[in-house]
Amino acid sequence: MSAEPATAAVHMTGIWKRFGAVQALADVGLTADPGEIHALVGENGAGKTTLVRILAGLERADAGSVDVNGRRLGPHHSPKEAAEAGVGLVQQHCQVVPGLAVLENLILGHEPTRLGLIHRRQALASTRAIADRLGYSFDWYAPAETLGLGQRQRLEIVRLLWRRCSVLVLDEPTTVLTAAEVANLFEVLRSLAAEGRTVILITHKLDEVREVADHVTVLRHGRTVGRIPRQRLDLDELARLMVGELESPPVRQPAALGEVRLRLRGVTTPAGEPGTQALRGIDLEVRAGEIVGIAGVEGNGQAELCEVVVGLRRPASGTVEINGRSVDGLGTRARRALGLAFVPADRMEEGVNPLGSLWENVAAPQIVAGRGTRLGILDRQRLREQARAVLAGAGVKGDLDLPTRSLSGGNVQRLVVGRELQQPSVVVAAHPTRGVDVRGAAFVHRRLLDLRRAGSAILVISADLDELSQLADRVLVLHRGGIVGGYAPEDADPARIGLLMSGVVPEARP
Amino acid sequence: MIWPAAESSSPALVGLGRRALRALGPLAITLAVGAGVLGLSGRNPLTIYALYLVQAVGGWSRLASTLAAATPLVLTGVGTSIGFRAGFFNVGLEGAVYVGALATAWAGTVWGQLPAPVLPALALLLGAAAGTAWLVVPALLRSLLAIDEVVTTLMLNYVGIALTTYLVLYHFLYKTIGNAQTPPIATSAQLAPLVPGTSLTAAAGLAFAILIGYGLFLRRTRLGAEVRTVGDNPRFAAAMGFSARRAAILTMLVGGALGGLAGGIVVLGVTYNFTAGFSTAPGYGYSGVAVAVLGRGSWVGLGLAALFFGALASAGGVIQLFGNVPIALTQILQGTLMIFAGIRLVQLRRRRRHPATGGETDSGGDGSWR
Amino acid sequence: MEVILTSGLLATTPILLAALGGAINRQAGIVNIGLDGMMLAGAFVAVLVDWHTHQPAVACAAALAAGALVGWLFALPITRLGANEIVAGLGLAVFMPGLFGYILPIFFNQASTLEPSGIPGIPILRIPGLASIPGLGPVFFAQDPITYFSWLAIPLTWLLLSRTVLGLRLRAAGHNPQVALAAGLPLAGLRELSTLIAGLLAGLGGAQLALVSVQLFNKDMTAGRGFIALAAFYFGRARPLMTAVAAVVFGIADAVSIRLTTAGLPDQIPEMLPYLAVVAALVVVAVRRRLAGANAAGTATVTS
């Protein structure tokens, strides 16, 4: 390993990065050689994306060094410097400019010209040569917005090669691809590596690692926990490294299961919408007094599942029942009136109105339902009193009239949880403790467990497996819009869960 | 969001102070541009501005004129602002002013035998109804087909102006005069001046009551909360079950009603008939847009902005007599104020209305229309 | 018929030029409601310069420059200070007539019209041979040079937008600002430049308005042509050819409405046409998109 700095295509050492209260990266290193495909794996929030954003100059490290092709690049380099050093990043959702042709999108910013006009023939010839070599074909003059996500990714790869990139970084490229597209992508990555380029591939999917990676770097909670060459690759060990040791679930009373409060039957959403994962025949039941966890890598349908239950997205087929009654024709307001509560993942966008006052944010469900209003006029005194009580119960301090954006993220979540988790019949909570401090998380968990005891039916979606172990009576694993398996927290096997989440459906084990 | 995201619910006084400061930017630029024009044409800006001040607020009758000029602008300002508050850019009040004015003039003439308190009320109601009806199409297109209300309302303004001209000329012309105008309204339809020699009528009271009602509506009612929430954060509103569709239809129709009412008030209290093209530049509706932008959503801000515009208009009307400056100076000031009305020193992007619909934000031509 | 077409094409020119400018502006991400004011500036400067130089060509160049200057100045509050383009555009439509209503009495001792005597107009250029083709000749080949240029401006606009680096970058700035920024393009500068181009074309349209059939300036002489241009580029979805087609149709409707007035018939009906056409076109597009969306199996999110 000691000879590497001289020859490595990418050599990052001692990288530290902090976002506010969160230490995203702590003394992380990444070394990749020319001609290799280097997989960077880890759970959500492990720091993978932050690390490559630092490499690409999109983020500045607090400390550490970055060398590319033997030259010191930074830790504080600009995106332009990174590009000039040959680093190119393919983001997960490649953006295109709609209304511009595919070719125009590709050459934007570096247009070849002749006689003051764009030299389209030359641009086409040079880019097509690259595309042909990779086995890609495009309708070069079609509007770029007609490209699917897979095509956009290919376009981006061609663009980077056209810009003479020697280090290609792909951030979870396969989550948006079909199986055939994935196979094709890997073939291309292999040929690029064979040309002597370096490919850094971020992924959650261990079967992909097994398939293409020459080296694997594993991150967990912002630290490097392993660097494994291909020949020593063992998927079970890799899964364990990624997931870590799961905390054993707390001893608690077994669930006193009641009737089914939330039921999804064969829920499917249309495929092909950019930026969303279609749900594929979700069947799900949550009973009174039960917490069901949904585990999985983000972007596998969690957001869509929430939206379908809450009434923000209409399924193409299948039904949703709340308290035994079909709610397919009902909007969000009517579903909430049936006792549905929702703790959304994006709390600043969906959980609160940051411009609204604290009391109005707490009173929003009452206002929507027309409670605490007389003839359409708000009973401010009553609503404010209620809000004061809710905020006190949630441990949020602050003037009732302050705008909600003045709260810290943790307090916003306390507000949301305090508001939503009063006496709901059914709860959908998405990533309820993400980015929340330890005491805040404990408060949220306590609330959820209290509601379980009180007989609510609770669906918790989380990328944090420890959290699910703490809370859930049973956990289902979501992958590519379908439920691919499940487990009980008592006999959770990190390796098996890691494989399930990675899309490797493990053969039945004893 | 039409305004910077900062306001809406800061504690009353601090927020008010901050908003006042923001509104001073456009005012300062306007006065500077006016001073430049005056200076280049050999006039002393200070003298002229002092004259404006005297003509706007110097004495009861001048004050009354300013209030009278502000009256329709309060209504169009509120009518535009309520749409802004829900996140909809309704600039269609100019058209509503025209159809409302014509409907009011028609009622004031045809129903002439009705007694005094009843007739103006009915005529204004009809005007408001006509203004409401005028915006039904854009409201439905917005809420059902997501067609940009900026374009439809703007386009319909020109249709409204041409349509009312046509109706006056071919169906409702006062033939004894050469102009394109309707017969004078019945005496019982006229709103009596509160201060002799001015156009200040009871309508001013109505307008300012509506202004306060707007403030109370937003703060104190369920629908007001819905409107604000939808405007502030559409995704949160959807997740809570607030109805964006209802907010769109409600605010655009209320805007139309207030535009129609403004037109009707001008007819009953100022012109006593409908004259084609009576809403001269900048136009009551368009001034209302500027008032709404300057007022930044608060009822106090709207009132002040309307008073300022009203002062410009009423003082500007007589400035030529005393100041040896062309009356068009007022238009220069009004135009400059409109150009700079929405400036902010800290740039904030207008929030996309439907952030969840996909990757690109296309604000350009081919892909989608504004 | 021939007369209507000839006068229709004459009336089309300022609308066409402004509409093409508006289309370029729109492609770069700014809806220009101030075209009318830029046209007015061009008309005024054209008359002023023609009066003093007796050179219509110089007057046209000055009109171009005046329109461009107004366009650029108009863009600055929008691109740099966050002014709202719609309100600002409405403001410019108030400001410019106000400015000329102020200048004329003070510097020219006129209320609203500047009509210097004996200034040369822009001549009609009969194209030898072609102009004598019966029927078509007098319509298409006996027009003024600015009108000929306006026709040429259609392919030129297309060329600019789709074949030049500048055009490509303007479109990128308008259609996806984030990507444009990521590609290192100067967003504000591009938008200002596009507004400058719009002003330039609108200013030239103003010169045609002021120096071809009449040789005078009136502070209300644009009579909303900038807004018809707005309707035209909306209708044409900011594409050069469709925008031009709309401008020609609306221009001819404008000419027809003037004829109707003189015949004592309602001219307001053709006057409404451009604006109704835009609304109708928007509805057609939205319905078509909705149907296409429904076929693609409901991308519809519930809005309750």
Side-chain angles (χ1 to χ4, degrees):
Chain A
M1 281 214 183
S2 55
E4 273 174 5
T7 57
V10 174
H11 186 60
M12 303 173 77
T13 52
I15 303 287
W16 292 76
K17 177 72 186 176
R18 171 181 282 275
F19 293 108
V22 183
Q23 187 70 50
L25 296 174
D27 194 22
V28 171
L30 173 68
T31 302
D33 293 327
E36 79 166 9
I37 299 179
H38 194 107
L40 185 59
V41 302
E43 285 191 89
N44 286 113
K48 309 179 297 290
T49 300
T50 307
L51 187 62
V52 297
R53 283 177 64 82
I54 289 171
L55 175 59
L58 298 168
E59 214 67 81
R60 295 191 158 200
D62 299 331
S65 68
V66 179
D67 297 87
V68 171
N69 294 327
R71 273 184 39 233
R72 178 57 48 95
L73 180 60
H76 298 302
H77 50 290
S78 70
K80 200 164 164 238
E81 287 165 334
E84 279 162 6
V87 177
L89 175 61
V90 180
Q91 311 231 10
Q92 197 174 359
H93 294 287
C94 311
Q95 288 219 4
V96 295
V97 183
L100 264 59
V102 171
L103 182 65
E104 291 175 328
N105 260 285
L106 200 150
I107 61 176
L108 183 66
H110 302 277
E111 307 85 353
T113 58
R114 187 183 57 175
L115 302 172
L117 298 183
I118 296 173
H119 197 340
R120 293 182 13 142
R121 195 141 22 95
Q122 189 199 321
L124 184 60
S126 57
T127 54
R128 184 184 274 167
I130 295 166
D132 285 348
R133 208 173 71 221
L134 303 181
Y136 292 166
S137 66
F138 294 98
D139 185 354
W140 294 100
Y141 295 112
E145 68 269 24
T146 59
L147 295 185
L149 288 170
Q151 284 280 84
R152 289 179 191 197
Q153 198 176 71
R154 293 174 174 194
L155 184 67
E156 189 64 15
I157 292 172
V158 173
R159 199 177 73 80
L160 292 176
L161 296 181
W162 185 67
R163 302 277 303 127
R164 300 181 203 288
C165 237
S166 64
V167 177
L168 259 88
V169 186
L170 297 96
D171 190 357
E172 298 185 29
T174 58
T175 51
V176 298
L177 301 182
T178 63
E181 286 174 324
V182 170
N184 176 279
L185 173 70
F186 286 168
E187 211 171 292
V188 165
L189 295 184
R190 278 195 207 96
S191 74
L192 293 177
E195 290 172 7
R197 294 180 215 263
T198 307
V199 176
I200 295 174
L201 176 73
I202 296 187
T203 182
H204 297 102
K205 298 176 187 169
L206 300 184
D207 54 338
E208 295 176 354
V209 174
R210 181 173 54 192
E211 201 181 330
V212 289
D214 298 310
H215 255 107
V216 187
T217 295
V218 187
L219 296 186
R220 190 171 74 231
H221 299 316
R223 292 175 184 278
T224 318
V225 293
R227 186 171 188 285
I228 310 164
R230 178 172 191 83
Q231 49 276 22
R232 284 202 281 114
L233 209 57
D234 172 60
L235 280 197
D236 282 3
E237 193 207 328
L238 206 54
R240 241 188 313 275
L241 273 176
M242 254 173 73
V243 172
E245 290 305 314
L246 287 179
E247 289 176 36
S248 45
V251 183
R252 59 184 185 192
Q253 292 182 345
L257 292 184
E259 76 282 6
V260 175
R261 290 270 178 85
L262 174 67
R263 177 182 283 134
L264 277 71
R265 267 196 302 224
V267 168
T268 303
T269 58
E273 197 179 333
T276 67
Q277 165 68 51
L279 297 178
R280 299 175 298 144
I282 302 276
D283 291 306
L284 181 69
E285 281 182 0
V286 187
R287 292 174 174 273
E290 182 185 34
I291 298 182
V292 173
I294 299 284
V297 172
E298 254 174 87
N300 275 289
Q302 288 92 335
E304 293 75 11
L305 179 62
C306 285
E307 288 169 1
V308 162
V309 175
V310 178
L312 298 169
R313 179 179 293 272
R314 195 162 289 179
S317 63
T319 63
V320 178
E321 288 172 18
I322 292 175
N323 294 337
R325 133 158 214 222
S326 163
V327 293
D328 294 327
L330 301 182
T332 303
R333 185 164 78 113
R335 292 182 194 205
R336 280 183 173 273
L338 290 174
L340 174 70
F342 178 38
V343 179
D346 186 349
R347 63 188 69 113
M348 274 303 184
E349 276 292 326
E350 281 194 294
V352 291
N353 172 10
L355 303 177
S357 64
L358 292 187
W359 76 265
E360 283 178 316
N361 268 290
V362 176
Q366 266 76 14
I367 296 173
V368 168
R371 288 192 301 269
T373 67
R374 238 175 296 142
L375 300 172
I377 297 188
L378 303 181
D379 185 345
R380 278 162 65 100
Q381 207 167 353
R382 189 170 132 206
L383 290 170
R384 287 169 65 96
E385 275 321 307
Q386 286 173 353
R388 200 188 308 276
V390 167
L391 289 173
V396 181
K397 290 178 208 65
D399 190 321
L400 283 182
D401 293 306
L402 277 180
T404 305
R405 76 192 137 86
S406 64
L407 293 183
S408 71
N411 273 338
V412 167
Q413 189 67 347
R414 282 172 178 265
L415 185 156
V416 172
V417 167
R419 175 188 73 207
E420 296 290 330
L421 305 189
Q422 299 188 44
Q423 288 160 342
S425 169
V426 175
V427 177
V428 176
H431 309 286
T433 61
R434 186 158 54 188
V436 175
D437 60 19
V438 178
R439 286 180 51 194
F443 162 73
V444 173
H445 286 180
R446 211 174 330 116
R447 244 332 141 79
L448 286 168
L449 290 171
D450 287 348
L451 284 177
R452 168 179 176 268
R453 204 171 316 119
S456 297
I458 302 169
L459 188 68
V460 175
I461 291 154
S462 179
D464 181 347
L465 296 179
D466 281 335
E467 171 168 58
L468 292 178
S469 294
Q470 299 268 317
L471 291 174
D473 297 299
R474 58 195 174 91
V475 179
L476 304 172
V477 179
L478 196 60
H479 178 72
R480 283 187 167 270
I483 289 170
V484 291
Y487 62 91
E490 296 81 44
D491 41 47
D493 168 10
R496 177 171 173 266
I497 299 167
L499 294 177
L500 267 176
M501 286 171 46
S502 309
V504 185
V505 179
E507 52 280 20
R509 290 169 191 230
Chain B
M1 290 286 297
I2 288 92
W3 306 287
E7 38 270 329
S8 73
S9 311
S10 357
L13 272 175
V14 181
L16 207 64
R18 208 181 292 141
R19 267 172 272 166
L21 271 178
R22 281 216 185 80
L24 287 183
L27 286 186
I29 292 177
T30 300
L31 292 181
V33 168
V37 171
L38 285 166
L40 287 176
S41 56
R43 268 72 173 165
N44 183 347
L46 290 179
T47 321
I48 303 296
Y49 285 158
L51 204 58
Y52 260 103
L53 199 63
V54 170
Q55 290 306 320
V57 294
W60 287 115
S61 105
R62 295 314 306 157
L63 213 51
S65 291
T66 292
L67 266 178
T71 299
L73 305 185
V74 167
L75 293 172
T76 53
V78 168
T80 308
S81 188
I82 196 168
F84 284 5
R85 212 61 195 77
F88 301 103
F89 206 108
N90 175 7
V91 288
L93 267 69
E94 189 69 25
V97 163
Y98 274 92
V99 296
L102 183 60
T104 302
W106 180 83
T109 317
V110 175
W111 298 343
Q113 66 280 17
L114 290 175
V118 179
L119 180 53
L122 277 183
L124 288 178
L125 268 181
L126 190 71
T132 309
W134 188 248
L135 283 177
V136 163
V137 170
L140 289 180
L141 291 181
R142 163 79 245 180
S143 57
L144 300 181
L145 289 173
I147 294 178
D148 192 344
E149 72 281 1
V150 181
V151 190
T152 53
T153 54
L154 189 65
M155 294 292 135
L156 284 180
N157 286 339
Y158 302 108
V159 175
I161 294 167
L163 182 68
T164 51
T165 304
Y166 165 76
L167 288 173
V168 169
L169 282 175
Y170 293 91
H171 299 284
F172 201 38
L173 189 64
Y174 186 42
K175 296 204 176 64
T176 49
I177 305 260
N179 291 338
Q181 61 187 47
T182 63
I185 55 172
T187 323
S188 58
Q190 295 180 1
L191 298 173
L194 298 178
V195 178
T198 71
S199 312
L200 183 68
T201 65
L206 177 65
F208 281 90
I210 285 174
L211 177 64
I212 293 166
Y214 158 88
L216 291 175
F217 167 78
L218 285 179
R219 290 262 148 251
R220 299 292 171 102
T221 69
R222 199 175 96 64
L223 279 176
E226 178 161 271
V227 163
R228 278 187 297 124
T229 311
V230 167
D232 282 347
N233 187 344
R235 286 187 62 198
F236 168 69
M240 290 311 300
F242 285 113
S243 168
R245 184 168 289 173
R246 180 164 58 197
I249 294 181
L250 175 81
T251 57
M252 288 183 66
L253 295 190
V254 167
L258 293 179
L261 190 59
I265 279 174
V266 172
V267 167
L268 298 192
V270 184
T271 59
Y272 303 135
N273 70 4
F274 177 92
T275 308
F278 76 102
S279 176
T280 49
Y284 296 109
Y286 292 137
S287 301
V289 178
V291 166
V293 173
L294 275 176
R296 312 275 201 227
S298 86
W299 67 274
V300 178
L302 283 172
L304 291 175
L307 282 172
F308 186 82
F309 256 76
L312 264 184
S314 81
V318 287
I319 201 93
Q320 192 164 14
L321 300 178
F322 303 103
N324 187 27
V325 284
I327 190 167
L329 178 66
T330 301
Q331 267 188 59
I332 293 181
L333 296 176
Q334 288 167 328
T336 312
L337 195 50
M338 287 174 81
I339 292 173
F340 290 94
I343 62 165
R344 45 213 178 207
L345 300 175
V346 183
Q347 286 270 26
L348 283 163
R349 277 184 55 75
R350 186 175 161 190
R351 197 199 302 273
R352 301 300 306 172
R353 279 197 208 113
H354 307 291
T357 49
E360 286 80 40
T361 51
D362 181 359
S363 54
D366 287 2
S368 77
W369 291 12
R370 271 198 58 107
Chain C
M1 189 63 204
E2 199 179 293
V3 184
I4 287 186
L5 267 183
T6 314
S7 63
L9 286 181
L10 194 68
T12 294
T13 305
I15 296 172
L16 175 58
L17 285 169
L20 289 172
I24 294 169
N25 217 181
R26 175 86 180 89
Q27 290 274 8
I30 288 186
V31 174
N32 191 334
I33 300 191
L35 289 170
D36 211 65
M38 299 169 199
M39 195 186 289
L40 199 62
F44 175 77
V45 170
V47 169
L48 192 66
V49 171
D50 194 35
W51 181 18
H52 288 283
T53 64
H54 283 267
Q55 299 277 348
V58 177
C60 288
L64 282 171
L69 179 68
V70 173
W72 181 67
L73 289 176
F74 169 70
L76 292 179
I78 298 169
T79 55
R80 307 283 170 173
L81 297 176
N84 180 286
E85 63 198 8
I86 307 291
V87 187
L90 294 171
L92 192 70
V94 175
F95 177 89
M96 293 308 296
L99 183 66
F100 295 121
Y102 182 84
I103 289 178
L104 288 175
I106 289 192
F107 295 103
F108 302 96
N109 209 15
Q110 300 287 333
S112 57
T113 305
L114 182 65
E115 192 173 9
S117 58
I119 66 168
I122 296 174
I124 298 293
L125 256 185
R126 297 179 62 86
I127 297 188
L130 294 175
S132 40
I133 300 172
L136 290 180
V139 176
F140 291 102
F141 301 109
Q143 298 279 4
D144 61 281
I146 297 183
T147 299
Y148 294 132
F149 173 78
S150 75
W151 299 344
L152 197 63
I154 303 167
L156 283 180
T157 303
W158 174 82
L159 196 72
L160 168 75
L161 285 175
S162 58
R163 287 293 183 270
T164 67
V165 174
L166 176 64
L168 178 61
R169 292 179 176 191
L170 288 179
R171 284 189 291 142
H175 291 250
N176 193 332
Q178 286 93 330
V179 172
L181 276 177
L185 306 183
L187 205 56
L190 285 168
R191 291 188 164 169
E192 284 152 17
L193 185 58
S194 74
T195 317
L196 184 146
I197 295 172
L200 194 120
L201 289 171
L204 186 62
Q208 195 262 6
L209 202 58
L211 290 182
V212 174
S213 14
V214 292
Q215 285 84 43
L216 60 80
F217 171 80
N218 176 287
K219 75 180 177 69
D220 300 312
M221 77 185 305
T222 49
R225 283 181 177 83
F227 294 97
I228 300 180
L230 172 77
F233 76 69
Y234 262 127
F235 189 88
R237 304 177 75 184
R239 291 175 177 134
L241 186 63
M242 280 309 290
T243 298
V245 168
V248 171
V249 172
F250 298 166
I252 289 174
D254 198 33
V256 167
S257 77
I258 292 167
R259 304 214 141 250
L260 287 179
T261 321
T262 47
L265 289 168
D267 59 318
Q268 289 80 22
I269 310 295
E271 229 169 75
M272 290 184 236
L273 169 89
Y275 310 111
L276 287 174
V278 169
V279 176
L282 283 171
V283 172
V284 168
V285 168
V287 168
R288 226 166 37 195
R289 187 168 293 180
R290 175 113 340 167
L291 290 178
N295 288 344
T299 51
T301 44
V302 186
T303 42
S304 73

